[in-house]
Amino acid sequence: MDVTVLISGGTGLVGTRLTQLLQEKGCTVTHLSRSVSGDEKVKTYQWNIEKKEIDPEALTGVDYIIHLAGASIADKRWTDKRKELILKSRTESTQLLRDSIAKLGNHAIKAFVSASAVGYYGIDTGSAWVKEESPSGDGFAAEVTRQWETAVDEVTQLNIRVVKIRIGIVLSEKGGALVKIMQPIKLGAGAPLGRGGQYMSWIHLDDLCHLFIFALEQKDMAGVYNGVAPHPATNHELTKKTADVLNKPLFLPNVPAFALKLLLGEMAQVVTGGNRVSSKKIEEAGFEFKYTELRPALVDLLR
Ligand SMILES: NC(=O)c1ccc[n+]([C@@H]2O[C@H](COP(=O)([O-])OP(=O)(O)OC[C@H]3O[C@@H](n4cnc5c(N)ncnc54)[C@H](OP(=O)(O)O)[C@@H]3O)[C@@H](O)[C@H]2O)c1
């Protein structure tokens, strides 16, 4: 692929691996970041979303944009200030990108592929399968993803193909949810969270990155696609299988939801709730997952 791909938030968990995979395919990858890194392999352009500033060179010669930037939803308690940052880092960053492309006049951007999240479907949709056309649900994460996707949709007005990937829980040994699940297990203090039966729609990091690349390549792909593996697991299964793969016992009772609420505040709903999200649409578009089942994914990552 002899193309230039600009990734916003390319320094994060998904962006770092995606950068590697795109470079292996022969793409030129550039990053849009809040700070200039010392990474010599990637040309990095700076932006300041609050000030609506972006390096004027950032969009020159760009064929594709992958938009991943956003303040982490599960790192810090959801104070009003944090909530504002989580939302604006997604909506205002998208608007800044759109306005900057519009100002270019003649651009050669063929597709804009944005992250979104399965949080769109609401706090807890039980064991019913949710699909792309299912309604959006309740809670802060759903509100954020709705506004984020609305901002992303506006990019279509610039005659650019737009794809939104509603990402599930990304499994990686380098960061994100799996590392948080592993820490107590390694200390012999692992336990399922809340009722344990809530669905965690997971995806192996490599499958997600290949899915983003697939979305760049497939010219007929547009709109929203779930980025989750075909077989979601319950929180209990995810915790138990992680412990098994690590050869650690799991004997403690579930951590009650009220304790998680005390510890994490409103953010507890990220772990006490869940969604059983369907991958049918992306599979019907021709995408083939390497990791369809949880155990092989965990074995690949943890052994
Ligand atoms: N990982 C998951 O399980 C998961 C699940 C669902 C959805 N997603 C979404 O997928 C995207 C990528 O996920 P990830 O796990 O790679 O995230 P990540 O590791 O947190 O990286 C996100 C990147 O966004 C940039 N960023 C952070 N705070 C920002 C702010 N206040 N304003 C603007 N940019 C900011 C950072 O890049 P710079 O420091 O270079 O600016 C950071 O490296 C995110 O939008 C995330 O919400 C992830």
Side-chain angles (χ1 to χ4, degrees), residues 29-100:
V29 180
T30 56
H31 283 173
L32 195 52
S33 173
R34 291 163 302 161
S35 55
V36 172
S37 73
D39 186 347
E40 284 166 14
K41 287 195 207 131
V42 186
K43 170 91 184 135
T44 302
Y45 298 97
Q46 255 185 299
W47 63 347
N48 185 318
I49 296 155
E50 247 173 65
K51 291 186 180 163
K52 300 193 190 329
E53 288 171 0
I54 185 167
D55 186 325
E57 295 294 308
L59 293 163
T60 307
V62 169
D63 297 292
Y64 296 96
I65 296 178
I66 296 183
H67 183 34
L68 303 176
S72 172
I73 199 147
D75 265 7
K76 293 185 183 154
R77 272 177 97 95
W78 289 351
T79 59
D80 287 349
K81 204 170 155 214
R82 183 75 191 163
K83 280 180 164 179
E84 193 184 340
L85 184 71
I86 289 170
L87 177 66
K88 287 189 169 172
S89 61
R90 291 177 169 79
T91 53
E92 293 188 355
S93 61
T94 310
Q95 284 152 6
L96 179 55
L97 274 169
R98 186 205 57 199
D99 292 348
S100 310

Side-chain angles (χ1 to χ4, degrees), residues 73 86-87 90-91 115-122 136-153 164-167:
I73 199 147
I86 289 170
L87 177 66
R90 291 177 169 79
T91 53
S116 178
V118 298
Y120 175 88
Y121 299 111
S136 182
D138 54 346
F140 171 64
E143 180 60 36
V144 169
T145 43
R146 276 196 299 274
Q147 292 198 37
W148 189 9
E149 289 193 8
T150 302
V152 171
D153 284 340
K164 295 165 285 182
I165 310 286
R166 284 190 192 139
I167 304 172

Side-chain angles (χ1 to χ4, degrees), residues 156-227:
T156 53
Q157 293 165 2
L158 305 171
N159 286 327
I160 296 176
R161 179 169 65 87
V162 169
V163 181
K164 295 165 285 182
I165 310 286
R166 284 190 192 139
I167 304 172
I169 295 163
V170 180
L171 297 185
S172 163
E173 79 289 12
K174 295 201 170 72
L178 187 58
V179 169
K180 288 184 181 153
I181 293 168
M182 270 167 24
Q183 279 162 352
I185 292 175
K186 282 184 171 169
L187 297 170
L193 304 177
R195 63 187 170 84
Q198 68 276 32
Y199 273 92
M200 310 270 102
S201 291
W202 59 274
I203 183 165
H204 187 295
L205 175 64
D206 279 6
D207 270 340
L208 178 65
C209 292
H210 285 297
L211 203 157
F212 270 98
I213 296 170
F214 184 77
L216 296 188
E217 291 173 337
Q218 299 296 309
K219 294 187 177 63
D220 53 352
M221 250 180 94
V224 67
Y225 295 81
N226 292 328

